[in-house]
Amino acid sequence: MFAIFKKLAWFFKLRWKAYAIAVSGLIACSILSAIIPLVIGNTVDLMATGTLNWSNLRNNVLILLVIGIVMYGLRYMWRNNLFTSSTLLESLMRNRLFDHFTKMDQYFYNKYRTGDLMAHATNDLNAIKFVAGGGILTLTDSISITIVTLISMFFIIDWQLTLLTIIPFPLLFFVARYLGKMMNENFRGSLKAFSSMNDRVQESVAGMQVIKGFGEEEDDYHDFTKSTDHVVESNRKVNLINSAYTPSIEVITGLTSVLTIFFGTYFISQGRISIGDLMAYFSYLGNLTWPLLAAGRLMNTMERGNVAYDRIEKLLSQEAKVQSPENGVDQLPFKELDVNIESFTYPDASSPALKNIQFTLEDGQTLGIVGKTGSGKTTLFNLLLRHFDIDQGEIKYDGQALKEIDLDYLHENVGYISQTNLLFSTSVANNIRFGRPDMDQDGVEHYAELASIHEDILEFTEGYETEVGERGVSLSGGQKQRISIARTLAIKPDILYMDDAMSAVDAKTEQSILTNFKAERQGGISIIATHRMSSVMHADLIIVLDNGEITERGTHDNLVAENGWYANMYNQQQLERKITEGGEQDGSI
Ligand code: ADP
């Protein structure tokens, strides 16, 4: 049960002063609150014996007043120290986690679902924060109030009465142990259920358009209610045990009260204690109830924190498989690319996604990759960018093995425009200058023009300052793609990879963007994966991928002459274009 405190020892050491102040404040409050029943008891005795007068009443009221004021100050002090510390712990751990997320590779993101990661970053951190705040409070308070109260009852009121009335207390130990254990076991289940429900919410919200598009709202809702039912069911078990806990404690304290009335009145009749003593004694019993109830909650809090901490530690202990080499190469002209992929299989996949891919590109050359969906185009980019490591084979930039190149350096110099155009919730201008935050407005507009998005942006309500995302303008697929293109061009990459990056842009616009590229880049290596044959017809080399393998390779003329898949697709697309555009010229690089 105390395992979590051991795990958090590093933080308690770090904030030892704040915790020392908080714990001392809490103990001082427990001691002061033990004086209050004595003062009230004394007042009752004075009344009962007819000796209450203005002077002793005023003294007692003054004592209560001073205790009240001092306790106010102490409470302010411990609260401030304790809860500032627990918030600090949460933010420290959240930063560590986020930092870790940014270092993780695609292997990690393949393995963990987004919903799970979100649950870790919110619920788990909350549970740990609670241990460092509420947990320490409950623990210190339970122990100090119990000890101070029992000492007061034993030494100040009457030790015999105390011994006789706390006979039922050992029962508490068994209740706390038995129910506490059950509660912990069920709690783990409830955390798991919550995590998987979180994942469902995430997936459904992200895919709502698809769900609606297929008219699957009803089914999705039913599926979702199953996971909420599971959460309810697992929480119900926790609550059932929780519900049994409080009444059990109350029965035990009730028994104690019965014993107190019985023995207390007897002791009064014997003259061992006064009426005021009995009243104070009852107040003490009342004071004891809270720590007893809290002990159950404390176990829950600590177990929750413990499970949460373990889950976070497990995440933090995951090492990225793809690591930037120490002292990696960070000076390269990026004028030559040599690819030799013998085989690459995704983790947990049964067959290779790419096999026998070989090609070499030199400065100024463009490679076109075409092929059906799922043929391995994105996978090839994943390997070129070292999102994953190749099982067999090697990729070399300027003769330098990819594994030897500093990863940040690689990503800063190789521009990649993916199929998924994620833009951030900030202005259009800031999205374009994402890789070069210091770029001025002229620069931003220049790249927007290159990507043929400038005119569109001017039409947005606030032009370049228009917010993108939930709070701002909703962009069409083509607009998002062109902003992504501008963002990538803005980093002036030596090498440019485009993964079906213009699928939502019409052929004519694509043509003008590609022409702009050529004029702007003056050389450089480009790889363009596309579904539109005309986009790559002037590439220096075109490869056709099918099921992870190269099935055709050559220039446009070679491939057309071969009369294979490429020629077929090209002719078909030409025909479609002629029909829809009335025989206009092709867009091509
Ligand atoms: P394309 O870009 O040509 O559509 P991909 O490279 O995305 O094709 O996919 C090639 C193959 O690899 C497909 O069979 C796909 O299911 C599989 N694949 C893609 N990404 C992953 C992944 N992260 N984990 C496992 N398999 C994957």
Side-chain angles (χ1 to χ4, degrees):
M1 169 168 140
F2 292 103
I4 181 64
F5 287 131
K6 219 168 145 190
K7 290 172 188 168
L8 283 175
W10 62 272
F11 181 72
F12 297 139
K13 262 186 214 152
L14 187 78
R15 294 279 298 173
W16 72 269
K17 267 188 204 156
Y19 277 102
I21 294 173
V23 169
S24 323
L26 277 163
I27 294 174
C29 279
S30 307
I31 295 172
L32 287 175
S33 60
I35 300 174
I36 298 171
L38 294 179
V39 178
I40 296 171
N42 175 262
T43 315
V44 170
D45 278 346
L46 290 173
M47 269 164 57
T49 52
T51 48
L52 184 71
N53 56 33
W54 169 239
S55 149
N56 48 34
L57 178 66
R58 186 197 55 207
N59 286 347
N60 282 356
V61 170
L62 262 179
I63 293 172
L64 290 179
L65 210 67
V66 170
I67 290 177
I69 293 169
V70 175
M71 279 177 78
Y72 178 92
L74 287 172
R75 282 194 172 129
Y76 174 80
M77 198 177 71
W78 69 249
R79 267 182 188 279
N80 198 6
N81 278 282
L82 195 63
F83 293 121
T84 309
S85 298
S86 64
T87 311
L88 181 76
L89 172 67
E90 187 191 25
S91 102
L92 275 180
M93 300 227 15
R94 182 164 287 144
N95 287 347
R96 256 176 80 189
L97 198 61
F98 192 78
D99 183 44
H100 189 67
F101 286 167
T102 60
K103 291 198 181 103
M104 285 294 102
D105 54 12
Q106 284 301 322
Y107 289 95
F108 176 84
Y109 289 106
N110 245 17
K111 183 168 158 192
Y112 288 98
R113 295 172 304 173
T114 317
D116 257 351
L117 296 179
M118 297 275 286
H120 289 308
T122 50
N123 285 341
D124 285 356
L125 290 183
N126 223 354
I128 297 170
K129 171 189 173 184
F130 204 66
V131 171
I136 293 286
L137 159 67
T138 316
L139 182 72
T140 315
D141 235 15
S142 310
I143 295 176
S144 64
I145 290 184
T146 308
I147 293 177
V148 170
T149 310
L150 282 176
I151 288 178
S152 309
M153 288 159 87
F154 197 89
F155 291 107
I156 301 176
I157 309 286
D158 192 282
W159 66 272
Q160 281 182 349
L161 180 65
T162 309
L163 284 184
L164 287 168
T165 52
I166 61 167
I167 289 170
F169 271 34
L171 281 175
L172 283 172
F173 178 74
F174 292 107
V175 168
R177 235 189 118 76
Y178 177 68
L179 291 181
K181 209 171 151 202
M182 274 171 59
M183 198 137 71
N184 291 346
E185 277 162 13
N186 284 288
F187 198 74
R188 280 176 191 259
S190 100
L191 272 186
K192 244 189 177 157
F194 185 82
S195 190
S196 81
M197 183 190 73
N198 229 4
D199 212 59
R200 284 282 300 138
V201 176
Q202 161 91 15
E203 206 171 282
S204 292
V205 172
M208 194 46 78
Q209 255 178 332
V210 180
I211 293 168
K212 280 182 181 274
F214 281 82
E216 291 289 317
E217 297 97 314
E218 194 81 3
D219 284 352
D220 190 62
Y221 176 70
H222 276 300
D223 269 3
F224 184 68
T225 49
K226 270 188 214 152
S227 62
T228 47
D229 285 350
H230 186 47
V231 172
V232 170
E233 180 53 26
S234 47
N235 274 315
R236 197 180 62 86
K237 282 188 197 152
V238 175
N239 286 337
L240 260 181
I241 304 164
N242 228 339
S243 315
Y245 189 76
T246 309
S248 309
I249 300 288
E250 278 166 357
V251 164
I252 296 167
T253 50
L255 268 176
T256 309
S257 299
V258 171
L259 290 174
T260 305
I261 291 174
F262 183 79
F263 290 112
T265 46
Y266 174 72
F267 278 20
I268 290 174
S269 71
Q270 294 293 305
R272 267 188 78 99
I273 59 168
S274 65
I275 298 175
D277 286 340
L278 188 60
M279 277 205 64
Y281 195 87
F282 267 113
S283 286
Y284 285 137
L285 279 185
N287 281 0
L288 272 187
T289 318
W290 183 81
L292 296 176
L293 284 174
R297 256 201 323 246
L298 179 69
M299 271 192 261
N300 201 335
T301 305
M302 303 225 285
E303 181 57 20
R304 238 185 111 160
N306 198 22
V307 174
Y309 197 89
D310 285 350
R311 299 205 316 181
I312 300 266
E313 277 296 303
K314 194 175 158 208
L315 274 188
L316 289 174
S317 68
Q318 305 278 315
E319 280 196 17
K321 280 198 180 148
V322 175
Q323 299 262 11
S324 191
E326 265 185 46
N327 305 320
V329 177
D330 60 0
Q331 287 299 325
L332 281 177
F334 285 112
K335 298 228 179 288
E336 197 187 303
L337 172 63
D338 187 11
V339 172
N340 173 22
I341 301 165
E342 285 170 34
S343 158
F344 169 72
T345 309
Y346 277 108
D348 302 327
S350 52
S351 56
L354 284 180
K355 268 178 293 179
N356 299 325
I357 310 289
Q358 278 94 16
F359 60 84
T360 305
L361 291 173
E362 281 168 15
D363 192 30
Q365 289 192 321
T366 298
L367 169 73
I369 308 177
V370 291
K372 291 180 230 158
T373 307
S375 57
K377 300 185 289 295
T378 305
T379 306
L380 180 57
F381 289 119
N382 275 336
L383 300 184
L384 290 169
L385 293 158
R386 214 181 152 213
H387 291 161
F388 293 92
D389 278 330
I390 311 172
D391 309 324
Q392 283 161 352
E394 199 164 36
I395 291 174
K396 287 181 181 168
Y397 287 91
D398 303 307
Q400 191 72 51
L402 177 54
K403 280 188 178 173
E404 303 301 323
I405 302 172
D406 183 83
L407 269 184
D408 279 344
Y409 178 70
L410 177 83
H411 295 147
E412 275 160 22
N413 291 286
V414 176
Y416 174 53
I417 311 169
S418 74
Q419 290 168 336
T420 44
N421 308 286
L422 181 87
L423 297 179
F424 295 99
S425 301
T426 175
S427 67
V428 174
N430 283 344
N431 266 291
I432 294 177
R433 60 164 76 96
F434 181 70
R436 280 179 58 196
D438 52 351
M439 196 166 63
D440 63 15
Q441 183 63 21
D442 285 347
V444 170
E445 291 188 18
H446 171 68
Y447 291 104
E449 271 167 18
L450 285 184
S452 290
I453 185 72
H454 178 66
E455 304 295 329
D456 292 48
I457 297 173
L458 292 184
E459 280 176 22
F460 297 158
T461 44
E462 289 171 58
Y464 277 87
E465 291 315 307
T466 310
E467 288 277 312
V468 174
E470 271 167 37
R471 282 170 300 143
V473 65
S474 41
L475 301 164
S476 72
Q479 286 170 332
K480 274 192 207 159
Q481 285 189 338
R482 281 175 286 153
I483 294 177
S484 308
I485 290 169
R487 173 174 69 185
T488 303
L489 290 183
I491 63 166
K492 293 191 182 166
D494 291 323
I495 294 188
L496 183 64
Y497 295 148
M498 295 179 67
D499 186 2
D500 217 358
M502 293 201 253
S503 54
V505 176
D506 64 80
K508 239 176 157 176
T509 315
E510 180 175 4
Q511 151 77 14
S512 73
I513 296 174
L514 289 172
T515 313
N516 293 348
F517 273 12
K518 263 211 143 163
E520 169 81 7
R521 292 190 68 225
Q522 309 267 349
I525 290 171
S526 309
I527 301 186
I528 301 175
T530 179
H531 280 103
R532 213 178 263 154
M533 307 301 134
S534 60
S535 315
V536 291
M537 62 183 287
H538 289 298
D540 302 279
L541 175 69
I542 301 168
I543 57 177
V544 178
L545 284 184
D546 187 23
N547 209 9
E549 288 187 89
I550 298 179
T551 50
E552 293 169 39
R553 72 187 294 157
T555 60
H556 172 75
D557 292 340
N558 300 150
L559 293 178
V560 169
E562 254 181 44
N563 215 6
W565 184 87
Y566 178 87
N568 228 334
M569 285 304 285
Y570 176 72
N571 291 332
Q572 197 178 318
Q573 289 182 356
Q574 282 299 95
L575 199 66
E576 279 166 16
R577 170 106 43 103
K578 277 184 183 138
I579 294 167
T580 51
E581 292 180 10
E584 271 182 48
Q585 273 293 301
D586 293 328
S588 59
I589 54 170

